[in-house]
Each structure stands twice: as structure tokens, then as C-alpha cells.
Amino acid sequence: SQTIHQWPATLVQPVGSPLSLECTVEGTSNPNLYWYRQAAGRGLQLLFYSIGIDQISSEVPQNLSASRPQDRQFILSSKKLLLSDSGFYLCAWSPGHSYEQYFGPGTRLTVT
Amino acid sequence: QKEVEQNSGPLSVPEGAIASLNCTYSDRGSQSFFWYRQYSGKSPELIMSIYSNGDKEDGRFTAQLNKASQYVSLLIRDSQPSDSATYLCAVNSLYNFNKFYFGSGTKLNVKP
């Protein structure tokens, strides 16, 4: 069966500090991978998605970036965090386009 | 106009009643539709997927799709307090099948 991991689970970072969130998927190959952010009490905002290694699409222009160094690894990064980057970051995988997405446990980021 | 619209609620139903959650979408050519349940502080969990017009039943859950009206709904029979959560509707993009739009969710409260 497939499993998706995210770490860390929670993170408190000062404004201007860097960020690295990691997501890995087990039990499948060549998945579509997604990064979402959910602000408190709000819906899901798609940040990035990837259909393959080094194939990453950015949905929202901002100070975040994503990389996919391996087939089942997806990394979300920032060089300098803003207060507005606080939120619940969710990684998801899908077996292909138009198919269901499965979410990881999420990382709760607080920027102070 | 948002791609996916849901009533934010809260929707309150007594235990044992039928809860009806609704979602409308704007992309007429969308092919895939999903319902997720999200407990407070947790990541979304897939409940149902539906791809064709009509009803799809899975246990106490029934998803209904009407592509002509661009409407998808979720019925929960014999509602339980454990069903209290936010329910998210997701629809794939007509122009990019790798991309999904999520509604902002409907909060359901099932009262014992």
C-alpha cells in the first residue's frame, strides 16, 4: 500500500529565516505530487505540482520554491520567510491526472 | 466566480439524520469529482470519488453528480457525531487535468 510522509510536523520560524519541508511517498512510482497551503479557517491553495522529476509547475508567485530531486520526493523551500507564510502545508500524491489525491499528515508552520 | 463553491455552514443535523452537502463548479468539462473530510487540525481524507452522472454509494455515503447542472452533492445517512468535520469538494480542471480546485468546505455538526 502507498504511504505519504511529511516532516516536520510542526515548525516555528522567525521572519527572514529559510524553510525546507520534505514530503516522500512510498509504494508507488511516478506519482503526481502537490504542495498546498491552508490558512487558518480557509480552503486549500495549490502552490506547486509536479508530474515528474524536474517537471514542476508553480501556481502562485511568491517567495516559495519547490524541487523534486527524486521520483517520490518533493521539497518545498523558501530563502526568507514572511509572516504571511504561516499556515498548514499539505503534500499530496496522485496516481495520475484526473485521479484522486491522497494527503500527507501536514506541517503546521508558524512564522513569528 | 470561484471554480468550486460550497456553503461554509455550519450545517447542523441531529444524530441519525441525513446530512446533505452541496457543491457547484464552473468548468463544464470537468471530469473528476471528489469529496474529502477534514477533522480540525488534521489533513483531508478522501471519502468518495465520482466520475459519471448519477449516484454512487459507499456505506453511509452517497455522492451525486449532475454535469448538466454542474452540481455535485454528498449525502451522509444515519449521521453520527464522529461525522462532525469540514467537508471539501474537489473538481479537476478542464484545462489541466493534473490540477484540482478545492472548495472552501462546509462545516458539519452532528448533534447527539
Short mmCIF file of all heavy atoms in Angstrom, two decimals, chain A residues 32 34 36 38 42-44 46 49 51 59 88 90 96-106 108, chain B residues 31-32 34 36 38 40-46 49 51 88 92 96-100 102-105:
data_model
loop_
_atom_site.label_atom_id
_atom_site.label_comp_id
_atom_site.label_asym_id
_atom_site.label_seq_id
_atom_site.Cartn_x
_atom_site.Cartn_y
_atom_site.Cartn_z
N ASN A 32 2.05 11.86 -9.39
CA ASN A 32 1.92 13.32 -9.39
C ASN A 32 2.05 13.78 -7.94
O ASN A 32 1.48 13.15 -7.05
CB ASN A 32 0.57 13.75 -9.96
CG ASN A 32 0.49 13.61 -11.46
OD1 ASN A 32 1.42 13.13 -12.11
ND2 ASN A 32 -0.63 14.04 -12.03
N TYR A 34 1.96 17.20 -5.14
CA TYR A 34 1.36 18.52 -4.97
C TYR A 34 1.76 19.12 -3.62
O TYR A 34 1.88 18.40 -2.63
CB TYR A 34 -0.17 18.43 -4.99
CG TYR A 34 -0.74 17.80 -6.25
CD1 TYR A 34 -0.79 16.42 -6.39
CD2 TYR A 34 -1.24 18.60 -7.28
CE1 TYR A 34 -1.32 15.84 -7.54
CE2 TYR A 34 -1.76 18.03 -8.43
CZ TYR A 34 -1.80 16.66 -8.55
OH TYR A 34 -2.31 16.09 -9.69
N TYR A 36 0.14 22.12 -1.13
CA TYR A 36 -0.94 23.04 -0.85
C TYR A 36 -0.63 23.79 0.46
O TYR A 36 0.09 23.30 1.32
CB TYR A 36 -2.27 22.30 -0.63
CG TYR A 36 -2.86 21.66 -1.87
CD1 TYR A 36 -2.52 20.34 -2.21
CD2 TYR A 36 -3.78 22.34 -2.66
CE1 TYR A 36 -3.08 19.74 -3.33
CE2 TYR A 36 -4.36 21.73 -3.78
CZ TYR A 36 -3.99 20.44 -4.10
OH TYR A 36 -4.56 19.83 -5.19
N GLN A 38 -2.91 25.79 3.54
CA GLN A 38 -4.24 26.09 4.08
C GLN A 38 -4.06 27.07 5.23
O GLN A 38 -3.50 26.71 6.27
CB GLN A 38 -4.93 24.81 4.56
CG GLN A 38 -6.37 25.00 4.99
CD GLN A 38 -7.02 23.68 5.33
OE1 GLN A 38 -6.41 22.79 5.91
NE2 GLN A 38 -8.28 23.53 4.95
N ARG A 42 -9.45 28.45 6.29
CA ARG A 42 -9.61 28.71 4.85
C ARG A 42 -9.50 27.43 4.04
O ARG A 42 -9.23 26.36 4.56
CB ARG A 42 -8.52 29.70 4.40
CG ARG A 42 -8.45 30.96 5.21
CD ARG A 42 -9.65 31.88 4.95
NE ARG A 42 -9.65 32.39 3.60
CZ ARG A 42 -8.97 33.45 3.21
NH1 ARG A 42 -8.21 34.11 4.07
NH2 ARG A 42 -9.04 33.87 1.95
N GLY A 43 -9.70 27.56 2.74
CA GLY A 43 -9.60 26.43 1.83
C GLY A 43 -8.16 26.14 1.45
O GLY A 43 -7.22 26.75 1.95
N LEU A 44 -8.00 25.19 0.54
CA LEU A 44 -6.67 24.77 0.10
C LEU A 44 -6.20 25.62 -1.07
O LEU A 44 -6.92 25.78 -2.05
CB LEU A 44 -6.70 23.30 -0.33
CG LEU A 44 -7.05 22.30 0.76
CD1 LEU A 44 -7.14 20.91 0.16
CD2 LEU A 44 -6.04 22.34 1.87
N LEU A 46 -3.41 25.75 -3.94
CA LEU A 46 -2.39 24.98 -4.62
C LEU A 46 -1.15 25.85 -4.84
O LEU A 46 -1.25 26.94 -5.39
CB LEU A 46 -2.91 24.46 -5.96
CG LEU A 46 -1.93 23.67 -6.82
CD1 LEU A 46 -1.50 22.40 -6.11
CD2 LEU A 46 -2.56 23.35 -8.17
N TYR A 49 2.75 21.84 -8.34
CA TYR A 49 2.50 20.45 -8.63
C TYR A 49 3.57 19.95 -9.60
O TYR A 49 4.17 20.74 -10.34
CB TYR A 49 1.09 20.20 -9.16
CG TYR A 49 0.80 20.71 -10.55
CD1 TYR A 49 0.99 19.92 -11.67
CD2 TYR A 49 0.30 21.99 -10.72
CE1 TYR A 49 0.70 20.39 -12.93
CE2 TYR A 49 0.01 22.47 -11.98
CZ TYR A 49 0.21 21.67 -13.09
OH TYR A 49 -0.07 22.15 -14.34
N ILE A 51 4.57 16.56 -12.25
CA ILE A 51 4.17 15.31 -12.91
C ILE A 51 5.39 14.41 -13.15
O ILE A 51 5.24 13.32 -13.69
CB ILE A 51 3.42 15.58 -14.22
CG1 ILE A 51 4.30 16.34 -15.21
CG2 ILE A 51 2.12 16.35 -13.95
CD1 ILE A 51 3.67 16.48 -16.59
N GLU A 59 1.95 27.65 -9.14
CA GLU A 59 0.62 28.21 -9.29
C GLU A 59 0.48 29.62 -8.73
O GLU A 59 -0.38 30.38 -9.15
CB GLU A 59 -0.41 27.29 -8.60
CG GLU A 59 -0.60 25.97 -9.33
CD GLU A 59 -1.15 26.18 -10.72
OE1 GLU A 59 -2.19 26.83 -10.88
OE2 GLU A 59 -0.51 25.69 -11.69
N PHE A 88 -0.88 25.79 7.26
CA PHE A 88 -0.82 24.33 7.29
C PHE A 88 -0.42 23.88 5.90
O PHE A 88 -1.18 24.08 4.94
CB PHE A 88 -2.20 23.80 7.71
CG PHE A 88 -2.26 22.35 8.06
CD1 PHE A 88 -1.20 21.72 8.70
CD2 PHE A 88 -3.39 21.62 7.78
CE1 PHE A 88 -1.26 20.38 9.04
CE2 PHE A 88 -3.47 20.27 8.14
CZ PHE A 88 -2.40 19.66 8.76
N LEU A 90 0.39 21.13 3.16
CA LEU A 90 -0.03 19.77 2.86
C LEU A 90 0.61 19.29 1.56
O LEU A 90 0.58 19.99 0.55
CB LEU A 90 -1.55 19.70 2.72
CG LEU A 90 -2.32 19.94 4.02
CD1 LEU A 90 -3.74 20.38 3.72
CD2 LEU A 90 -2.33 18.69 4.87
N GLY A 96 -2.10 9.73 -11.07
CA GLY A 96 -2.07 10.29 -12.42
C GLY A 96 -3.11 11.38 -12.54
O GLY A 96 -3.85 11.65 -11.59
N HIS A 97 -3.15 12.02 -13.69
CA HIS A 97 -4.08 13.14 -13.83
C HIS A 97 -5.52 12.64 -13.75
O HIS A 97 -5.84 11.54 -14.15
CB HIS A 97 -3.81 13.90 -15.13
CG HIS A 97 -4.22 13.17 -16.37
ND1 HIS A 97 -5.55 13.02 -16.76
CD2 HIS A 97 -3.49 12.57 -17.33
CE1 HIS A 97 -5.60 12.36 -17.89
NE2 HIS A 97 -4.38 12.08 -18.27
N SER A 98 -6.35 13.47 -13.21
CA SER A 98 -7.78 13.22 -13.03
C SER A 98 -8.11 12.20 -11.96
O SER A 98 -9.27 11.94 -11.70
CB SER A 98 -8.45 12.78 -14.35
OG SER A 98 -8.29 13.75 -15.34
N TYR A 99 -7.12 11.62 -11.33
CA TYR A 99 -7.36 10.66 -10.26
C TYR A 99 -7.31 11.33 -8.89
O TYR A 99 -6.83 12.42 -8.74
CB TYR A 99 -6.34 9.53 -10.32
CG TYR A 99 -6.53 8.62 -11.51
CD1 TYR A 99 -5.74 8.76 -12.65
CD2 TYR A 99 -7.50 7.63 -11.49
CE1 TYR A 99 -5.92 7.96 -13.74
CE2 TYR A 99 -7.68 6.81 -12.59
CZ TYR A 99 -6.90 6.97 -13.72
OH TYR A 99 -7.07 6.17 -14.79
N GLU A 100 -7.81 10.61 -7.92
CA GLU A 100 -7.89 11.16 -6.58
C GLU A 100 -6.52 11.51 -6.02
O GLU A 100 -5.51 10.92 -6.40
CB GLU A 100 -8.59 10.14 -5.64
CG GLU A 100 -7.87 8.82 -5.51
CD GLU A 100 -8.18 7.83 -6.62
OE1 GLU A 100 -8.88 8.21 -7.60
OE2 GLU A 100 -7.72 6.68 -6.52
N GLN A 101 -6.51 12.48 -5.11
CA GLN A 101 -5.29 12.87 -4.42
C GLN A 101 -5.35 12.38 -2.98
O GLN A 101 -6.41 12.41 -2.35
CB GLN A 101 -5.13 14.39 -4.43
CG GLN A 101 -4.93 14.96 -5.83
CD GLN A 101 -4.71 16.45 -5.83
OE1 GLN A 101 -4.55 17.08 -4.78
NE2 GLN A 101 -4.70 17.04 -7.01
N TYR A 102 -4.19 11.97 -2.48
CA TYR A 102 -4.09 11.50 -1.11
C TYR A 102 -3.11 12.42 -0.38
O TYR A 102 -2.00 12.67 -0.86
CB TYR A 102 -3.60 10.06 -1.06
CG TYR A 102 -4.52 9.09 -1.73
CD1 TYR A 102 -4.34 8.73 -3.07
CD2 TYR A 102 -5.62 8.54 -1.06
CE1 TYR A 102 -5.19 7.85 -3.71
CE2 TYR A 102 -6.48 7.66 -1.69
CZ TYR A 102 -6.26 7.32 -3.01
OH TYR A 102 -7.12 6.46 -3.63
N PHE A 103 -3.54 12.87 0.78
CA PHE A 103 -2.76 13.87 1.51
C PHE A 103 -1.89 13.26 2.60
O PHE A 103 -2.25 12.26 3.23
CB PHE A 103 -3.71 14.89 2.16
CG PHE A 103 -4.34 15.83 1.16
CD1 PHE A 103 -5.50 15.48 0.50
CD2 PHE A 103 -3.75 17.05 0.88
CE1 PHE A 103 -6.07 16.33 -0.43
CE2 PHE A 103 -4.32 17.92 -0.05
CZ PHE A 103 -5.47 17.55 -0.70
N GLY A 104 -0.75 13.91 2.81
CA GLY A 104 0.09 13.58 3.95
C GLY A 104 -0.46 14.22 5.20
O GLY A 104 -1.46 14.94 5.17
N PRO A 105 0.20 13.98 6.34
CA PRO A 105 -0.31 14.50 7.62
C PRO A 105 -0.15 16.00 7.79
O PRO A 105 -0.80 16.59 8.66
CB PRO A 105 0.53 13.74 8.65
CG PRO A 105 1.78 13.38 7.92
CD PRO A 105 1.37 13.13 6.51
N GLY A 106 0.67 16.64 6.97
CA GLY A 106 0.79 18.09 7.01
C GLY A 106 1.88 18.59 7.94
O GLY A 106 2.32 17.90 8.86
N ARG A 108 2.53 22.11 10.21
CA ARG A 108 1.97 23.38 10.67
C ARG A 108 3.11 24.35 10.90
O ARG A 108 3.95 24.13 11.79
CB ARG A 108 1.16 23.17 11.94
CG ARG A 108 0.28 24.38 12.28
CD ARG A 108 -0.80 24.02 13.27
NE ARG A 108 -1.69 22.97 12.80
CZ ARG A 108 -2.69 23.15 11.94
NH1 ARG A 108 -2.93 24.34 11.43
NH2 ARG A 108 -3.45 22.13 11.59
N GLN B 31 -14.05 16.44 -15.31
CA GLN B 31 -14.32 15.02 -15.44
C GLN B 31 -14.32 14.26 -14.12
O GLN B 31 -14.91 13.19 -14.02
CB GLN B 31 -13.24 14.39 -16.34
CG GLN B 31 -13.18 14.96 -17.74
CD GLN B 31 -14.41 14.63 -18.54
OE1 GLN B 31 -14.92 13.52 -18.48
NE2 GLN B 31 -14.91 15.61 -19.29
N SER B 32 -13.63 14.80 -13.13
CA SER B 32 -13.42 14.05 -11.88
C SER B 32 -13.85 14.90 -10.70
O SER B 32 -13.55 16.09 -10.64
CB SER B 32 -11.93 13.68 -11.72
OG SER B 32 -11.45 13.02 -12.87
N PHE B 34 -14.52 14.85 -6.29
CA PHE B 34 -14.12 14.16 -5.06
C PHE B 34 -14.68 14.87 -3.84
O PHE B 34 -14.85 16.09 -3.83
CB PHE B 34 -12.58 14.13 -4.95
CG PHE B 34 -11.91 13.59 -6.17
CD1 PHE B 34 -11.47 14.44 -7.17
CD2 PHE B 34 -11.74 12.23 -6.34
CE1 PHE B 34 -10.87 13.95 -8.32
CE2 PHE B 34 -11.14 11.73 -7.48
CZ PHE B 34 -10.70 12.59 -8.47
N TYR B 36 -13.81 15.16 0.30
CA TYR B 36 -12.84 14.92 1.36
C TYR B 36 -13.44 15.34 2.69
O TYR B 36 -14.22 16.30 2.76
CB TYR B 36 -11.56 15.73 1.13
CG TYR B 36 -10.70 15.25 -0.01
CD1 TYR B 36 -10.97 15.63 -1.32
CD2 TYR B 36 -9.62 14.40 0.23
CE1 TYR B 36 -10.18 15.18 -2.37
CE2 TYR B 36 -8.82 13.96 -0.82
CZ TYR B 36 -9.11 14.35 -2.11
OH TYR B 36 -8.32 13.91 -3.14
N GLN B 38 -12.29 16.60 6.52
CA GLN B 38 -11.15 17.15 7.25
C GLN B 38 -11.56 17.45 8.68
O GLN B 38 -12.37 18.35 8.93
CB GLN B 38 -10.61 18.42 6.58
CG GLN B 38 -9.32 18.93 7.22
CD GLN B 38 -8.70 20.10 6.48
OE1 GLN B 38 -9.39 20.84 5.79
NE2 GLN B 38 -7.40 20.29 6.65
N SER B 40 -10.71 18.88 12.42
CA SER B 40 -9.97 20.06 12.85
C SER B 40 -8.52 19.71 13.17
O SER B 40 -8.25 18.79 13.95
CB SER B 40 -10.64 20.66 14.08
OG SER B 40 -9.96 21.80 14.52
N GLY B 41 -7.59 20.42 12.55
CA GLY B 41 -6.17 20.21 12.80
C GLY B 41 -5.55 19.05 12.05
O GLY B 41 -4.36 18.78 12.21
N LYS B 42 -6.35 18.36 11.24
CA LYS B 42 -5.85 17.19 10.51
C LYS B 42 -5.86 17.45 9.01
O LYS B 42 -6.42 18.44 8.54
CB LYS B 42 -6.72 15.96 10.82
CG LYS B 42 -6.77 15.60 12.29
CD LYS B 42 -5.40 15.17 12.81
CE LYS B 42 -5.48 14.71 14.26
NZ LYS B 42 -4.14 14.31 14.78
N SER B 43 -5.25 16.55 8.26
CA SER B 43 -5.23 16.69 6.81
C SER B 43 -6.50 16.10 6.20
O SER B 43 -7.17 15.27 6.82
CB SER B 43 -3.99 16.00 6.23
OG SER B 43 -4.01 14.62 6.51
N PRO B 44 -6.86 16.50 4.99
CA PRO B 44 -8.06 15.97 4.33
C PRO B 44 -7.93 14.47 4.04
O PRO B 44 -6.86 13.98 3.69
CB PRO B 44 -8.15 16.79 3.03
CG PRO B 44 -7.37 18.03 3.31
CD PRO B 44 -6.26 17.60 4.21
N GLU B 45 -9.06 13.79 4.17
CA GLU B 45 -9.13 12.35 3.94
C GLU B 45 -10.16 12.10 2.84
O GLU B 45 -11.30 12.58 2.92
CB GLU B 45 -9.56 11.68 5.24
CG GLU B 45 -9.87 10.21 5.15
CD GLU B 45 -10.55 9.72 6.41
OE1 GLU B 45 -10.95 10.55 7.25
OE2 GLU B 45 -10.70 8.50 6.55
N LEU B 46 -9.79 11.35 1.82
CA LEU B 46 -10.70 11.07 0.72
C LEU B 46 -11.86 10.20 1.18
O LEU B 46 -11.66 9.16 1.82
CB LEU B 46 -9.94 10.37 -0.41
CG LEU B 46 -10.77 9.99 -1.63
CD1 LEU B 46 -11.19 11.24 -2.40
CD2 LEU B 46 -9.98 9.07 -2.55
N SER B 49 -15.12 9.37 -4.62
CA SER B 49 -14.82 9.91 -5.93
C SER B 49 -15.97 9.54 -6.85
O SER B 49 -16.60 8.49 -6.69
CB SER B 49 -13.51 9.33 -6.47
OG SER B 49 -13.58 7.91 -6.55
N TYR B 51 -17.21 9.98 -11.15
CA TYR B 51 -16.78 10.41 -12.47
C TYR B 51 -17.94 10.49 -13.47
O TYR B 51 -17.81 11.12 -14.51
CB TYR B 51 -15.73 9.44 -13.01
CG TYR B 51 -14.50 9.31 -12.14
CD1 TYR B 51 -14.42 8.32 -11.17
CD2 TYR B 51 -13.43 10.18 -12.26
CE1 TYR B 51 -13.30 8.19 -10.37
CE2 TYR B 51 -12.30 10.07 -11.46
CZ TYR B 51 -12.24 9.07 -10.51
OH TYR B 51 -11.13 8.94 -9.71
N LEU B 88 -14.80 18.92 2.13
CA LEU B 88 -14.25 19.65 0.99
C LEU B 88 -14.64 18.97 -0.31
O LEU B 88 -14.52 17.75 -0.44
CB LEU B 88 -12.72 19.71 1.08
CG LEU B 88 -12.12 20.31 2.35
CD1 LEU B 88 -10.59 20.13 2.33
CD2 LEU B 88 -12.47 21.77 2.47
N ASN B 92 -11.56 18.48 -10.89
CA ASN B 92 -10.35 18.68 -11.69
C ASN B 92 -10.56 19.78 -12.71
O ASN B 92 -11.68 20.12 -13.08
CB ASN B 92 -9.90 17.37 -12.35
CG ASN B 92 -10.65 17.08 -13.63
OD1 ASN B 92 -11.87 17.15 -13.67
ND2 ASN B 92 -9.92 16.78 -14.68
N ASN B 96 -6.47 21.65 -17.40
CA ASN B 96 -5.26 20.97 -16.91
C ASN B 96 -5.70 19.85 -15.98
O ASN B 96 -6.00 20.09 -14.81
CB ASN B 96 -4.35 21.96 -16.18
CG ASN B 96 -3.06 21.32 -15.71
OD1 ASN B 96 -2.94 20.09 -15.65
ND2 ASN B 96 -2.10 22.14 -15.36
N PHE B 97 -5.75 18.62 -16.50
CA PHE B 97 -6.27 17.51 -15.72
C PHE B 97 -5.39 17.15 -14.54
O PHE B 97 -5.79 16.35 -13.70
CB PHE B 97 -6.50 16.30 -16.61
CG PHE B 97 -7.63 16.47 -17.57
CD1 PHE B 97 -7.56 15.98 -18.87
CD2 PHE B 97 -8.79 17.14 -17.21
CE1 PHE B 97 -8.60 16.14 -19.76
CE2 PHE B 97 -9.83 17.32 -18.09
CZ PHE B 97 -9.75 16.81 -19.37
N ASN B 98 -4.17 17.70 -14.49
CA ASN B 98 -3.30 17.45 -13.34
C ASN B 98 -3.66 18.32 -12.16
O ASN B 98 -3.14 18.13 -11.07
CB ASN B 98 -1.84 17.69 -13.72
CG ASN B 98 -1.32 16.66 -14.70
OD1 ASN B 98 -1.36 15.46 -14.42
ND2 ASN B 98 -0.86 17.11 -15.84
N LYS B 99 -4.50 19.29 -12.39
CA LYS B 99 -4.78 20.30 -11.38
C LYS B 99 -6.21 20.17 -10.85
O LYS B 99 -7.13 19.93 -11.63
CB LYS B 99 -4.59 21.68 -12.02
CG LYS B 99 -4.76 22.84 -11.08
CD LYS B 99 -4.43 24.13 -11.83
CE LYS B 99 -4.77 25.34 -10.99
NZ LYS B 99 -4.46 26.59 -11.71
N PHE B 100 -6.35 20.33 -9.55
CA PHE B 100 -7.66 20.26 -8.92
C PHE B 100 -7.99 21.57 -8.23
O PHE B 100 -7.13 22.24 -7.69
CB PHE B 100 -7.70 19.14 -7.88
CG PHE B 100 -7.77 17.78 -8.47
CD1 PHE B 100 -6.64 17.19 -9.01
CD2 PHE B 100 -8.96 17.09 -8.52
CE1 PHE B 100 -6.70 15.94 -9.58
CE2 PHE B 100 -9.03 15.83 -9.08
CZ PHE B 100 -7.89 15.25 -9.61
N PHE B 102 -10.27 23.10 -5.14
CA PHE B 102 -10.97 22.72 -3.92
C PHE B 102 -11.91 23.84 -3.50
O PHE B 102 -11.56 25.02 -3.57
CB PHE B 102 -9.98 22.46 -2.78
CG PHE B 102 -9.31 21.13 -2.84
CD1 PHE B 102 -8.23 20.92 -3.69
CD2 PHE B 102 -9.77 20.07 -2.08
CE1 PHE B 102 -7.61 19.68 -3.75
CE2 PHE B 102 -9.16 18.83 -2.14
CZ PHE B 102 -8.07 18.64 -2.97
N GLY B 103 -13.09 23.45 -3.02
CA GLY B 103 -13.95 24.41 -2.38
C GLY B 103 -13.41 24.74 -1.00
O GLY B 103 -12.51 24.08 -0.49
N SER B 104 -13.98 25.77 -0.40
CA SER B 104 -13.51 26.19 0.92
C SER B 104 -14.09 25.33 2.04
O SER B 104 -13.67 25.46 3.20
CB SER B 104 -13.85 27.66 1.17
OG SER B 104 -15.23 27.86 1.01
N GLY B 105 -15.03 24.43 1.69
CA GLY B 105 -15.51 23.47 2.67
C GLY B 105 -16.78 23.87 3.38
O GLY B 105 -17.07 25.05 3.55
#
